[in-house]
Amino acid sequence: MAPHSSSLDTLGPLAHSIIGFPGAVSSIENAHLPVIGAIFRASQCIFVERKDPNSRSKAAQQIKDRVESGGEWPQIIIFPEGFCSNGRYLLPFKVGPFLPGVSVQPMSVTFNNRLDVSSWIDTGPGLVAIWSLLLCTPISSMTVEWHPVYHPSEEEKKDPQLYARNVRKTMSRYLKLPTSDMTYSDLKDIVKQTKPDAGLFALWKNIITKGFVEMPAKKHLY
């Protein structure tokens, strides 16, 4: 599913799910959140510790095991970008979801509000600030799209990086969104170097003047 821009991204697919309660792949921090963490744990999510390479490889193996379980596990919702952006472009897709070499069904969620009050950027304004905006918005709507199933070629099955790139290109065409090579480590470095104002007032000003949460530019890296 892409672009990943909000903690609300999974609500639409869950509400429309015809496959029961799907699992997901999520950051380990989300397992400890009030309410949402309990839902993640109950759905038997695969949790990943970003800073631990072993955790990432274990998660990739768990995805492969579930895919090859012959239906013993429910389908998995995966955000291949790995972290949140403002939804204005598609970030690089991680290879983990594509290691099994099986068909995937691209999905997208688009929020239709005039002002984007749902997007949350990692290392940007906190969830409290974002949720304060949501609580001031009486009605929020989203569009959930299931795109055609993508069947990998033999070459893509052997090369998960190629598979990931081609799925991203396909989704970019569906959504008419550009792609970006911004990575999570890039974002962390930019924030460390520029120290942007991540307060509530700055967030309100950003959304009111621009209509959306501004994403740091990679040109700030040096």
Side-chain angles (χ1 to χ4, degrees):
M1 182 185 299
H4 187 20
S5 64
S6 170
S7 57
L8 303 177
D9 286 345
T10 57
L11 295 184
L14 290 179
H16 292 79
S17 180
I18 58 175
I19 57 174
F21 201 85
V25 178
S26 180
S27 172
I28 188 63
E29 291 86 358
N30 293 333
H32 308 296
L33 293 174
V35 183
I36 296 177
I39 295 174
F40 282 164
R41 294 193 301 273
S43 63
Q44 302 183 80
C45 285
I46 297 172
F47 293 108
V48 182
E49 171 57 62
R50 283 195 180 104
K51 297 179 181 179
D52 182 0
N54 291 328
S55 176
R56 295 198 296 270
S57 62
K58 288 178 182 177
Q61 185 60 48
Q62 284 183 282
I63 293 172
K64 189 173 187 296
D65 292 342
R66 292 192 186 191
V67 167
E68 297 174 348
S69 68
E72 293 182 8
W73 289 90
Q75 287 182 303
I76 308 173
I77 295 176
I78 300 176
F79 297 96
E81 294 169 298
F83 66 102
C84 288
S85 71
N86 60 9
R88 300 280 158 166
Y89 40 77
L90 293 181
L91 302 171
F93 282 11
K94 306 291 186 182
V95 300
F98 305 96
L99 287 174
V102 298
S103 300
V104 296
Q105 181 164 28
M107 297 175 62
S108 60
V109 173
T110 304
F111 293 90
N112 305 316
N113 293 12
R114 184 175 64 86
L115 296 179
D116 181 6
V117 297
S118 57
S119 291
W120 175 69
I121 300 174
D122 282 286
T123 71
L127 285 177
V128 173
I130 293 294
W131 278 90
S132 71
L133 293 178
L134 286 170
L135 292 174
C136 292
T137 307
I139 299 175
S140 294
S141 67
M142 65 171 69
T143 300
V144 182
E145 294 183 86
W146 278 262
H147 303 287
V149 174
Y150 189 105
H151 301 285
S153 66
E154 289 303 317
E155 185 179 5
E156 289 171 330
K157 290 178 181 178
K158 297 175 183 178
D159 186 348
Q161 292 186 339
L162 174 65
Y163 190 5
R165 288 196 301 270
N166 288 345
V167 172
R168 186 172 74 140
K169 289 178 184 177
T170 299
M171 291 197 70
S172 177
R173 290 197 300 270
Y174 288 152
L175 300 173
K176 296 181 174 59
L177 286 177
T179 58
S180 168
D181 60 353
M182 172 83 76
T183 66
Y184 186 72
S185 60
D186 289 338
L187 181 59
K188 295 278 284 186
D189 288 341
I190 292 172
V191 170
K192 184 178 180 180
Q193 292 172 11
T194 61
K195 298 180 174 59
D197 187 350
L200 178 60
F201 178 76
L203 174 64
W204 276 87
K205 181 181 178 181
N206 198 237
I207 290 179
I208 291 173
T209 57
K210 294 183 173 63
F212 56 90
V213 179
E214 192 172 26
M215 190 82 173
K218 196 171 181 179
K219 64 183 180 182
H220 292 300
L221 284 177
Y222 54 82

